[in-house]
Amino acid sequence: MPALSLAELAGSPPGPVFEATIEGNLPGAGLRGFEFENCVFKGVNLERAVLVGASFTECRFEDCNFSGADLTDTSLGECRFTGTKLSGINWALSHVNRFAARPLEFLRCSMDFCWFVGVDLARCRFIDCSIREADFSEARLTNAGMNDCDLRGTRFHGTDLDGASLVGSSGYVFDPRENRTKGLKLSPTESWPLLKALGIDRALTSQSSSPSGAGGFRKDRSSFRGIRDAVKLPSSRSAPPTAKPT
């Protein structure tokens, strides 16, 4: 693969870039309208870069920094991000190719304070990522994998989580009645936040000695069956559906 620097690209007119290795440090750079295909971005620093109208197809991003980048009208398809900083990005302004043969993959990435409202992320994979204080309201995460991720403060409201997996992830709290959760897979030890959202106290699922204990237990057990029917809780012995990258 030919090597290109960010400085070379920034000084060139927009156009297609095929099978190139791209390196460099140019925060705030403008790469409007470039078409990257089968390129590898290594250690690139494009923090707060303007990538308006650019496209990335079958590209790999390794240990890069794109935090705060402007992805307005940016097209992304069959890309893989590893160890990359992607915090503070409004992904709702971009175009994720949902018809791509391979979905987007994010491995060990930092994606805090991101905006995914209404974004179609079906089948996408987020593995061992920090996705704190992000917003997935109205997003489509059908059959997506969000495994071993830190989801503290992240919002799910009106989100399509049918067939998705949150196995191994922690910190999430959302009301399953306000989201689509058919076939959602959770770790047994991390399923309690969903019960908490329904007003069910963990202690009430054990037998109570109070006069109303039996009735209260039946009510809570019935509510738990509703959660169980809405989501899929894998056995604690089973391995996560997606292994951590090596």
Side-chain angles (χ1 to χ4, degrees):
M1 281 187 177
L4 289 174
S5 71
L6 289 177
E8 289 178 281
L9 288 172
S12 304
V17 181
F18 299 104
E19 299 182 347
T21 298
I22 299 168
E23 301 175 327
N25 181 4
L26 204 62
L31 296 177
R32 296 170 179 264
F34 278 90
E35 301 171 12
F36 299 97
E37 185 171 343
N38 200 23
C39 293
V40 179
F41 293 78
K42 286 190 174 182
V44 164
N45 183 0
L46 280 171
E47 186 177 9
R48 303 184 310 279
V50 180
L51 305 175
V52 175
S55 67
F56 300 88
T57 305
E58 296 187 76
C59 292
R60 301 200 315 271
F61 302 85
E62 301 172 356
D63 302 312
C64 298
N65 184 358
F66 283 83
S67 291
D70 183 354
L71 299 186
T72 301
D73 294 328
T74 301
S75 177
L76 298 154
E78 302 187 46
C79 294
R80 180 184 176 114
F81 299 82
T82 304
T84 294
K85 296 179 181 178
L86 299 162
S87 296
I89 293 177
N90 185 350
W91 294 83
L93 299 176
S94 67
H95 303 289
V96 177
N97 184 1
R98 65 176 183 171
F99 300 109
R102 290 185 293 106
L104 299 182
E105 294 185 0
F106 303 90
L107 313 176
R108 301 186 301 279
C109 292
S110 176
M111 307 179 74
D112 301 334
F113 306 104
C114 281
W115 181 270
F116 295 97
V117 174
V119 179
D120 191 335
L121 297 167
R123 302 184 297 121
C124 290
R125 294 287 179 263
F126 304 82
I127 302 172
D128 196 16
C129 294
S130 176
I131 317 178
R132 295 177 296 178
E133 302 291 339
D135 195 339
F136 287 93
S137 298
E138 306 296 335
R140 184 169 181 255
L141 288 165
T142 309
N143 297 317
M146 198 172 286
N147 304 121
D148 300 316
C149 295
D150 183 352
L151 299 175
R152 282 177 290 177
T154 288
R155 176 177 169 82
F156 296 92
H157 183 82
T159 308
D160 188 348
L161 291 162
D162 285 353
S165 172
L166 297 180
V167 173
S169 292
S170 62
Y172 56 86
V173 177
F174 61 87
D175 192 331
R177 296 168 299 185
E178 297 178 351
N179 299 273
R180 297 184 60 178
T181 57
K182 184 177 181 180
L184 174 63
K185 293 175 280 294
L186 306 171
S187 297
T189 56
E190 295 295 337
S191 61
W192 288 108
L194 275 70
L195 296 174
K196 183 179 179 181
L198 294 173
I200 300 173
D201 190 331
R202 186 173 187 173
L204 293 180
T205 58
S206 60
Q207 287 185 343
S208 173
S209 59
S210 64
S212 59
F217 175 65
R218 283 195 297 270
K219 178 181 178 181
D220 292 335
R221 183 171 57 185
S222 175
S223 299
F224 182 80
R225 282 199 297 268
I227 295 292
R228 182 197 61 194
D229 294 340
V231 302
K232 183 177 181 181
L233 302 179
S235 168
S236 59
R237 296 180 181 178
S238 63
T242 308
K244 288 187 178 180
T246 57

